[in-house]
Each structure stands twice: as structure tokens, then as C-alpha cells.
Amino acid sequence: MTDASASLQSHYLTFLLGEDLYAITLGAVKDIRASGAVQPLREVPGYVVGRLEHALGPTPLVDLRQRIGLPALAGGPSVTVVLERAGQRLAVLTDAVAEVVDLGLPDEPAAASDEPDARAELAWLKGAAAAGERMVLVLDPDQLLPPADRGAVHTAMAATTTTVQAT
């Protein structure tokens, strides 16, 4: 690994949810786009708002506000961040993208597991760090769609793909 690629492992994309600043490892970010058309999915957790058609392929879309327990934003603009990690794609809705920062934290993916995290309610939170004078909550991209919900989302995505191909 070169020094440049090693230093990039500690870079994070920051974004806003309300007044709070969040971050996700830059290595997982594949695309940033204005929110677009979303096809609803059936029998999935409420925070999974649907299926996003993306150049990389159909992608489940998670409303981060709902996922982490924040109140809904009434009609404000949002930005979609498409993530990919270990071959799994996920799009997340944020209020706004801020900037890329070096938090000095290496990106250490969690060991792949379909077992529920003991801290399931907060499994999405990897930790906190300082970005300049602000505190940033660092998200775990591997837990934004927790193991307990992956099967239902996968099934709904497959059913929607079959329906789209049949029409």
C-alpha cells in the first residue's frame, strides 16, 4: 500500500442530518446525487424507503433520519449518497453533503457477520471524532442495513426486479 492510499483510508465524507454532522468512510462512497425517483418496496423496515435505480444497478434506499431515530424533515431537499462495501450496495438519504475530511481514523471494516450486533440499536454508530472544531458521529456502513433486516430487503428487491422485468 502506498503512503497516498494509506492516508486516504482515514478520509471521510461528512454530511448533515439537521444540525448534526455525520461521517462515512470515503472508500465506501460510490456516488453523490440529488434525490431521484424511488420505487416502493413491500414488507421492509420503515427506514428502507424503496428501490433506487442507479447506474451500478438497483439499490435499496435508506432514510438515515428514520434509521437512526431522528424526526422526519418536512419537505426539505435531500442528497443521496450511494455506498458500496464488500459487493453490497446501499443508498442513503442525507440532508446535505458537507466536505471530505481526514479524521485520522483508519477505515477498519467490521468482520462480515449475519449475526445481530449486541448493541443493535446503535450498531450504525462506529464512534465520534473531531473535525476541526465540530464533533462528527462516524457511521458504520456495514450496519446501516443491519443483519436482521437484510433478508427482507433482499427478498423485496428481488421481487421488485422480477415485477419490473415482467412489465
Side-chain angles (χ1 to χ4, degrees):
M1 181 180 303
T2 67
D3 289 340
S5 63
S7 70
L8 285 178
Q9 285 190 348
S10 63
H11 282 72
Y12 287 76
L13 176 70
T14 60
F15 55 89
L16 295 166
L17 292 175
E19 298 289 321
D20 295 324
L21 193 61
Y22 292 81
I24 198 147
T25 178
L26 190 58
V29 175
K30 295 300 173 200
D31 191 16
I32 300 170
R33 62 191 308 194
S35 296
V38 176
Q39 183 176 10
L41 294 174
R42 292 184 160 174
E43 299 181 28
V44 294
Y47 65 86
V48 179
V49 295
R51 170 188 160 164
L52 176 71
E53 292 302 326
H54 189 270
L56 296 172
T59 305
L61 179 63
V62 167
D63 182 332
L64 279 181
R65 285 178 157 278
Q66 288 185 35
R67 172 65 178 104
I68 65 178
L70 294 175
L73 184 63
S78 60
V79 177
T80 301
V81 179
V82 179
L83 308 171
E84 187 170 16
R85 185 105 148 178
Q88 299 297 310
R89 225 177 6 266
L90 183 70
V92 295
L93 286 175
T94 68
D95 294 352
V97 170
E99 63 184 326
V100 173
V101 297
D102 184 350
L103 295 179
L105 303 170
D107 175 27
E108 297 173 355
S113 172
D114 285 335
E115 296 299 316
D117 190 307
R119 343 163 271 132
E121 290 300 314
L122 291 176
W124 52 267
L125 181 61
K126 199 171 197 175
E133 295 182 18
R134 291 200 61 186
M135 184 61 72
V136 178
L137 296 173
V138 180
L139 302 182
D140 184 343
D142 302 314
Q143 292 296 325
L144 293 176
L145 187 60
D149 296 341
R150 289 179 191 154
V153 171
H154 178 74
T155 300
M157 289 288 292
T160 304
T161 300
T162 303
T163 303
V164 168
Q165 289 174 352
T167 56

